Amino acid sequence: MTYTDKMVDWMNRYPAVADLRKRAHRRMPLVAREYMETGTDEDEALRRNREALQAIRFHPEFLKGSMRPRLETSLLDRTYAFPFGIAPVGLTGLMWPKAEVYFAQAARKYQIPFCLSTLATETPESLAPHLGEQGWFQLYTPREEEMAFQLLDRAKQSGFHTLVITVDIPMPSRRQRTKRAGLRIPPRLSLELLWQGMTHPIWSMATLRRGLPRLRTIEDIPGFNEMMSVGAFMSEQMGGNLSWEYVERLKAYWKGPCLLKGIMAPADVEEALKRGCDGIILSNHGARQFDGALSPLEVLPAARTLTEGKVPLLMDSGLRSGLDILRALALGADFVLLGRAFLYGVAALGKWGPEHVIRILSEEMVNNMMQLGIEDLKQLPDRLADAVER
């Protein structure tokens, strides 16, 4: 069976990402569901991300005759079928076993980028046969630069061509909901986890086939076995050390496109340009790091003014639909990344889920462009309500 065999039925049953979210929640145990959905503190930033997107309105225009909206997008000297990709998410296999494999396969089939996290549950080497030319690698910077260079070597040798350096983790956030749900890194068998598994048999069977989720990329670092645990290693090596000078050394070592993810302040946008970064990803880490953060959408217009098209400006955090993507592009983003939307897909429909999410998003984009009366994504700013009212 292929996705095509099920597509019509699934598009009727799950026509929106919100429908996939509901099904994913039913199929996932609490610990996985809370890890996927949580923000931090009181989850105000989660709400802010959605409210900022929903506040963007357009003026449609009609009587345009026959139209064929175009979604193909050029980014960093590559062409992608759509202006969106799959964001990096750590511990992805907790939400659904082999999720990264399914993401990679869908990215290759539909010609969109998939960004693999340093804290993935699959390794760059294991994903290489599935990715084709669609691989981006996201780096959490170890304190030991030689360790960072080893990670970059592995990614480059596995075919990943674009480096994404996450800059917004001066220290791990608290994420109280995941603590209450009983998450430990790495996940350990406990009576609570066993009970959650028994009451969610599809997830449990898939987990038994793949094994408990582990941070396999980290575990393969030479010397890791001498560490006490993944948690001890993370505390010892990850976060709190990144500087502009470190970024420059990583960029020079990588010798390829390098994006900074998590930039939110105008001063940091200006400094990224001075340091020669190839692109910026505005992000508040999916609202998972700092509950007092602005939405990236609130920062986007000012960042667009500062960059003046000199480098690509990307955005993630809070995007759930094709209309959300159009809103971000209208305010100045060149490209967007989505994380939770693809997690909902894989948790709801297994290996076919990422394909279904791509179909939903692309069909929604085309439909909404037709409603707006545009064929080219560059026309979006002209349809913004504020632009028309001015």
Side-chain angles (χ1 to χ4, degrees), residues 222-275:
F224 170 79
N225 290 332
E226 299 171 9
M227 303 290 181
M228 292 174 57
S229 66
V230 171
F233 176 83
M234 294 289 295
S235 177
E236 179 71 22
Q237 283 292 340
M238 298 291 182
N241 66 316
L242 191 57
S243 66
W244 288 108
E245 292 72 24
Y246 194 171
V247 166
E248 287 185 319
R249 292 191 292 273
L250 291 169
K251 185 180 186 306
Y253 189 86
W254 178 253
K255 294 182 175 64
C258 177
L259 309 176
L260 297 191
K261 181 179 183 295
I263 295 290
M264 289 285 282
D268 287 340
V269 172
E270 293 178 319
E271 191 66 25
L273 293 173
K274 292 178 185 177
R275 302 280 178 160

Side-chain angles (χ1 to χ4, degrees), residues 132-246:
E133 295 292 319
Q134 310 309 319
W136 295 9
F137 182 71
Q138 176 265 345
L139 180 70
Y140 285 114
T141 50
R143 288 188 172 88
E144 295 181 19
E145 288 190 28
E146 185 57 37
M147 195 174 290
F149 295 155
Q150 291 171 7
L151 288 167
L152 297 188
D153 286 342
R154 291 173 59 191
K156 184 64 73 76
Q157 291 162 11
S158 299
F160 292 78
H161 53 74
T162 297
L163 175 63
V164 174
I165 304 174
T166 290
V167 304
D168 58 354
I169 309 290
M171 68 180 299
S173 63
R174 301 194 67 213
R175 300 185 193 173
Q176 295 91 332
R177 285 171 55 183
T178 62
K179 295 178 186 295
R180 297 184 192 110
L183 178 64
R184 303 293 180 267
I185 303 294
R188 305 183 186 93
L189 282 176
S190 64
L191 289 176
E192 184 178 18
L193 187 58
L194 285 170
W195 172 250
Q196 290 186 34
M198 290 171 60
T199 53
H200 296 83
I202 299 175
W203 178 90
S204 297
M205 291 301 296
T207 298
L208 286 172
R209 286 193 294 269
R210 183 65 186 103
L212 280 175
R214 309 194 323 264
L215 303 181
R216 291 177 172 87
T217 298
I218 295 295
E219 289 179 358
D220 284 349
I221 293 176
F224 170 79
N225 290 332
E226 299 171 9
M227 303 290 181
M228 292 174 57
S229 66
V230 171
F233 176 83
M234 294 289 295
S235 177
E236 179 71 22
Q237 283 292 340
M238 298 291 182
N241 66 316
L242 191 57
S243 66
W244 288 108
E245 292 72 24
Y246 194 171

Side-chain angles (χ1 to χ4, degrees), residues 100-135:
E100 290 116 337
V101 173
Y102 304 143
F103 290 163
Q105 291 170 342
R108 181 177 185 174
K109 179 175 179 180
Y110 287 88
Q111 297 181 332
I112 65 171
F114 164 50
C115 190
L116 179 70
S117 172
T118 301
L119 305 184
T121 50
E122 304 290 342
T123 65
E125 295 84 355
S126 68
L127 293 179
H130 305 287
L131 261 176
E133 295 292 319
Q134 310 309 319

